[in-house]
Amino acid sequence: MIGAIKRIISVSGKYKGRICAAFIFAFLKSVLQNASLILTVLMVDQFFQGTIAGGSFLKYGLGLLGCVLAQALFIHLADRLQSASGFMLMADMRVKLGEHLRRLPMGYFTSGNIGKISSVLSTDMVFIEENSMQSLADAMNYFFSAAIFTIFMLFFNPTLGIVTLVFSIIMIIVGEIKYHKGLALSKDRQEQSESLTKAVLDYVEGIGITKTYNLLGEKSKEMSDNFEKSFKESIRFEGKMIPYGVVINILFELGAVALGFVASILYLNGSINITAFLGVALFMLNIFIPLRVVYMESEKFTIMDKCLDRIESVMAQPELVDAGSHKISQVKEGVPAVEFKNVRFAYDSKETISDVSFSVMNGDTVALVGPSGSGKSTLANLMARFWDIDSGEILINGTSIKDVPLKNLLEQISMVFQNVYLFKDTVYNNIIMGRPDATREEVIEAAKKARCYDFIMSLPDGFDTMVGEGGASLSGGEKQRISIARCILKDSPIVILDEATASIDADNEAAIQQAISELCKGKTLIIIAHRLKTIKDSDCILVVNNGKIVERGNHDELMQNGGIYKNFVDIKNSDSGWCKRKIG
Ligand code: ADP
C-alpha cells in the first residue's frame, strides 16, 4: 500500500512540498497524541508507587496541556495544508488533461474512447479529489501511530513489545495481501464502470432516435443490463474482499487478547507492576486499531490506484506532433494554396486514401464529389490535421502542414460541418470564438452577413441568449448560420465546406446559401458538394471513389469524358443522387 501512497505523492507535482509538510504535521500530531497517553501511564505509575511529588504532578499536568495545545496547532496546520491540495491537484490535472486531449488525433475520440474520457474526467478525478488527501493523511497517521506504539512497547517491556511486533507484522502481511487482491479484482469493476458510463452516454445522446424508432424498451434494457452487471461486479468484489477483512478483525482481537494474556502472566510472575498491567489493559485495544483501520479501508487506495492507472493511460496516448517552427507563407504567384502530393492514409489497417494528388490555386473552388464513404470528408479532415497522413505531403502556400504549428495551420482554415455543434453559451460567445479579439460590432456584422441577425434579435436576450443544452432551441438551419457567422468572423483564407443543406427546409436553405456566399467571397474553397449548381460552378471537380481520384476537370470536360461524373449528373438530373450501385 505504501506503493499507492508514493504514487499519489509522485503525481502531486508542485503540491508535493505542501503535501509532505502536511504529513510532517500529521506525524507530529500522532506523536503528541500518543505522548499524552504515555505521559498519563507514567503519571499513574508514579502515583501508585507513591513516588510522585506535588511538583511532578504540575510537570505532568503542564506536559499534558502542552501536548494538547501543540496537537491542536498541528491538526490545524495539517488540515489546512492538505484539505485544498486534492482540489488544487485535480484542478491542475484537469487542465493538463484538457490540453492533452486537445492535442490528440481525432481518431482517439472516434474509436470508442468517449466513455473512458468521461469516466476519467468525472468519476476518477472526483474520487481522487475528494478522497486522496484525507485518506493519505489518515493512512500515514495510522502507520505512524502503529510504529510509535510498537516502539514504545519494545522499550516498555520487550516481551510485550515482541507480541505487539509479531501481531503487527501478521496484520500488515494479511493487509497487503488484501490490498493486492483488491487491485487485481478492481480491474474488472473499473472496466464495468467504464462500460456503464458509455451505455448511459449512448442512451442519453441517442434518446431522440430511440424514441422515434420506439426502441425505449430495448435501449433501456441495454442500460439496465449494464446497471445489473455493475451491481453484480460490486457484489462479487466485496464478496471476495470480505474474508480478508474478517481475518484482519480476528487478528486485531487475537492481538489484544494475546497482549492481555502475556501482561497477566508478567504481572503474576512479578515482571511488571500493577500500573503497567492496567496501562496494557487500557491500551491493548488501541494498539492495533491503526493497522486495522488502515487495512480495512485499503479499498480506497485500490480504487485510487486504478483511477490513476486510467488517468495515466489517457495521458500516455501519443499526441499529434506539433513541432513545426515555420509559418505558413503568404500567397505566392504560381504556388497552389492547397496541394496534396501522393497522400496515403488509413484509419486502421484498410487504406482509406490511396495516392491522392491534386492542387487548388488561391481563390479557386474545388468540388469533391463521389459516393458516400469514398473518402471526401477524410481528405478535408487530413488538411486540418485531424489525423496525420501515413505518407505523401499536404502543403499550404508551399509549406508542409507538418512544418507549421497546429495553431498557425488552423488559422488558415475554416470548416463548416454537416453536424453543427453550438456550445452551451450565449449566441455572442458562440460566434466570437471564431476570432476572440473581435469587437462587438464585428460580431454583429458577421451575424448580419451570415443572415442570422434577424432571428438572433428575436430571441429573448438577443445575442446574450443562451444556446446549446438547456438553452434556446434553434432549428438546424439557424444553428448552421450561427456556425457560418463564426467562420465569417474568423476570416481564414481557406474554407472547407461540407455542403449540408439536404436536410434543411427551403427557407433556411436560401438563407444558408446566401450566408455561404458571403463566407466564401475571395476564399480558396474546398467543397464536399451535393448540389449540382455548386459542382457545375466549381473551377475543378475531383471525383473520388474508393479513396482515389478517378476523374478530374471542370464540368464540361467531365461531361465530355462520359465517365462516372456524367453518370452522376444524369442520376442527379433524374433526382436520385449518388448511388454506389450505379457507378461501382
Ligand atoms: P465520405 O465523406 O466520402 O462519405 P468518409 O471520408 O467519411 O467518406 O469515409 C471514408 C471511409 O473511411 C469510409 O469507409 C468510412 O467508414 C471510413 N471512416 C470514416 N471515418 C472513420 C473513422 N473515424 N475511423 C475509421 N474509419 C472511418
Side-chain angles (χ1 to χ4, degrees):
M1 211 162 90
I2 297 290
I5 296 175
K6 272 193 191 155
R7 191 171 178 197
I8 294 171
I9 297 177
S10 75
V11 297
S12 54
K14 64 180 181 197
Y15 302 108
K16 205 180 277 177
R18 188 185 169 97
I19 294 169
C20 290
F23 289 154
I24 292 172
F25 289 124
F27 170 69
L28 293 173
K29 182 198 88 176
S30 353
V31 170
L32 290 171
Q33 203 170 21
N34 297 311
S36 45
L37 290 178
I38 292 164
L39 272 182
T40 312
V41 173
L42 292 177
M43 188 172 73
V44 173
D45 183 41
Q46 285 194 10
F47 176 77
F48 275 109
Q49 287 182 30
T51 53
I52 196 158
S56 308
F57 255 131
L58 189 66
K59 274 188 209 153
Y60 277 122
L62 286 175
L64 282 173
L65 182 69
C67 281
V68 171
L69 291 178
Q71 238 187 92
L73 174 72
F74 292 142
I75 290 175
H76 169 73
L77 289 172
D79 284 353
R80 231 186 116 146
L81 285 170
Q82 95 204 0
S83 59
S85 301
F87 292 103
M88 296 200 278
L89 178 61
M90 282 302 122
D92 281 8
M93 189 92 96
R94 282 198 177 94
V95 172
K96 225 161 104 186
L97 194 71
E99 285 288 306
H100 178 66
L101 289 176
R102 213 162 57 85
R103 295 197 199 100
L104 288 182
M106 284 294 286
Y108 184 70
F109 301 95
T110 53
S111 46
N113 286 308
I114 297 295
K116 185 175 197 159
I117 297 168
S118 309
S119 292
V120 164
L121 280 167
S122 52
T123 328
D124 296 349
M125 289 206 159
V126 169
F127 189 85
I128 296 189
E129 183 168 63
E130 289 178 353
N131 293 282
S132 63
M133 291 307 133
Q134 194 54 49
S135 304
L136 222 66
D138 288 348
M140 299 299 263
N141 200 2
Y142 292 134
F143 277 129
F144 291 148
S145 295
I148 292 167
F149 273 132
T150 312
I151 292 167
F152 172 73
M153 285 307 250
L154 281 167
F155 278 109
F156 176 69
N157 183 289
T159 314
L160 289 171
I162 287 169
V163 174
T164 311
L165 189 63
V166 167
F167 274 92
S168 298
I169 290 173
I170 300 175
M171 279 177 89
I172 290 176
I173 293 172
V174 176
E176 285 297 315
I177 295 175
K178 173 176 182 266
Y179 170 69
H180 286 283
K181 183 83 187 165
L183 266 188
L185 287 173
S186 65
K187 188 170 173 277
D188 293 344
R189 197 159 73 151
Q190 296 287 321
E191 272 169 14
Q192 179 49 41
S193 131
E194 211 172 277
S195 133
L196 178 66
T197 313
K198 197 168 167 292
V200 174
L201 281 175
D202 265 5
Y203 184 78
V204 176
E205 278 171 6
I207 192 87
I209 302 289
T210 307
K211 278 181 185 254
T212 316
Y213 289 94
N214 204 12
L215 294 173
L216 272 177
E218 274 167 54
K219 286 288 163 191
S220 48
K221 184 174 176 312
E222 227 173 277
M223 197 166 60
S224 34
D225 283 353
N226 256 293
F227 280 123
E228 178 77 17
K229 271 193 211 156
S230 295
F231 160 75
K232 284 193 178 144
E233 198 51 60
S234 297
I235 298 281
R236 190 181 78 94
F237 180 84
E238 295 302 335
K240 297 228 167 161
M241 296 314 287
I242 284 172
Y244 295 95
V246 171
V247 174
I248 290 175
N249 273 319
I250 291 175
L251 281 169
F252 164 75
E253 311 277 351
L254 277 181
V257 170
L259 267 183
F261 180 70
V262 174
S264 311
I265 293 175
L266 291 174
Y267 173 64
L268 290 176
N269 69 19
S271 302
I272 58 171
N273 60 21
I274 181 71
T275 339
F277 175 71
L278 286 176
V280 174
L282 270 178
F283 297 125
M284 66 188 192
L285 283 173
N286 284 12
I287 287 173
F288 298 110
I289 280 182
L291 285 179
R292 181 172 82 153
V293 177
V294 80
Y295 282 113
M296 288 307 285
E297 289 187 357
S298 68
E299 276 86 344
K300 273 193 183 164
F301 284 90
T302 312
I303 299 174
M304 261 186 260
D305 206 76
K306 287 288 156 205
C307 291
L308 284 173
D309 275 353
R310 289 200 301 183
I311 295 174
E312 282 173 8
S313 86
V314 175
M315 291 298 280
Q317 289 301 317
E319 295 180 352
L320 269 181
V321 181
D322 186 15
S325 55
H326 293 68
K327 271 208 125 191
I328 289 180
S329 49
Q330 294 295 311
V331 178
K332 282 182 229 140
E333 190 64 34
V335 176
V338 176
E339 188 173 12
F340 275 56
K341 278 189 185 169
N342 309 103
V343 170
R344 287 182 182 275
F345 169 74
Y347 284 108
D348 27 61
S349 52
K350 189 175 162 279
E351 198 164 73
T352 309
I353 299 297
S354 309
D355 199 19
V356 165
S357 299
F358 68 90
S359 58
V360 192
M361 296 312 283
N362 181 44
D364 279 2
T365 299
V366 160
L368 299 175
V369 296
S372 171
S374 57
K376 304 178 296 292
S377 303
T378 305
L379 284 172
N381 291 340
L382 291 178
M383 209 182 305
R385 278 194 78 193
F386 285 1
W387 283 267
D388 268 339
I389 55 177
D390 298 328
S391 67
E393 209 175 11
I394 301 175
L395 304 117
I396 292 185
N397 294 344
T399 313
S400 164
I401 59 171
K402 279 193 179 172
D403 292 341
V404 297
L406 263 179
K407 187 172 177 298
N408 182 226
L409 169 67
L410 295 175
E411 280 163 4
Q412 310 298 312
I413 303 172
S414 283
M415 295 178 100
V416 180
F417 294 102
Q418 215 156 359
N419 296 325
V420 179
Y421 183 80
L422 294 185
F423 290 91
K424 189 172 177 283
D425 207 334
T426 58
V427 172
Y428 183 84
N429 286 342
N430 264 290
I431 298 177
I432 202 171
M433 63 185 62
R435 183 157 54 87
D437 60 355
T439 62
R440 196 165 179 97
E441 287 67 38
E442 287 171 324
V443 171
I444 292 172
E445 188 55 32
K448 283 183 178 163
K449 284 185 179 162
R451 305 293 185 269
C452 44
Y453 183 77
D454 291 343
F455 85 77
I456 292 175
M457 293 316 283
S458 69
L459 294 173
D461 297 314
F463 277 86
D464 298 320
T465 308
M466 290 294 289
V467 291
E469 199 185 313
S473 58
L474 301 174
S475 73
E478 289 167 342
K479 285 186 196 162
Q480 185 66 277
R481 278 183 272 162
I482 290 182
S483 82
I484 294 173
R486 189 191 283 167
C487 290
I488 291 179
L489 192 66
K490 187 175 176 190
D491 194 27
S492 52
I494 299 167
V495 175
I496 299 175
L497 209 64
D498 201 336
E499 200 196 30
T501 48
S503 56
I504 284 165
D505 57 88
D507 279 359
N508 259 315
E509 178 165 357
I512 290 176
Q513 288 309 331
Q514 289 165 4
I516 288 177
S517 306
E518 282 289 343
L519 168 67
C520 302
K521 267 185 198 159
K523 310 285 186 203
T524 303
L525 252 183
I526 294 171
I527 308 183
I528 296 170
H530 306 284
R531 294 169 75 246
L532 202 50
K533 181 171 179 328
T534 319
I535 301 170
K536 273 183 178 167
D537 293 347
S538 307
D539 299 294
C540 177
I541 299 161
L542 302 174
V543 182
V544 186
N545 198 18
N546 289 328
K548 293 189 186 76
I549 295 182
V550 288
E551 285 177 23
R552 66 181 79 204
N554 62 29
H555 175 76
D556 295 337
E557 288 163 355
L558 293 180
M559 285 305 280
Q560 273 170 19
N561 280 357
I564 291 179
Y565 179 77
K566 183 173 180 305
N567 195 357
F568 159 66
V569 175
D570 293 343
I571 296 166
K572 270 275 171 192
N573 285 334
S574 69
D575 211 16
S576 40
W578 275 109
C579 168
K580 232 176 181 170
R581 185 169 44 82
K582 294 197 175 173
I583 65 156

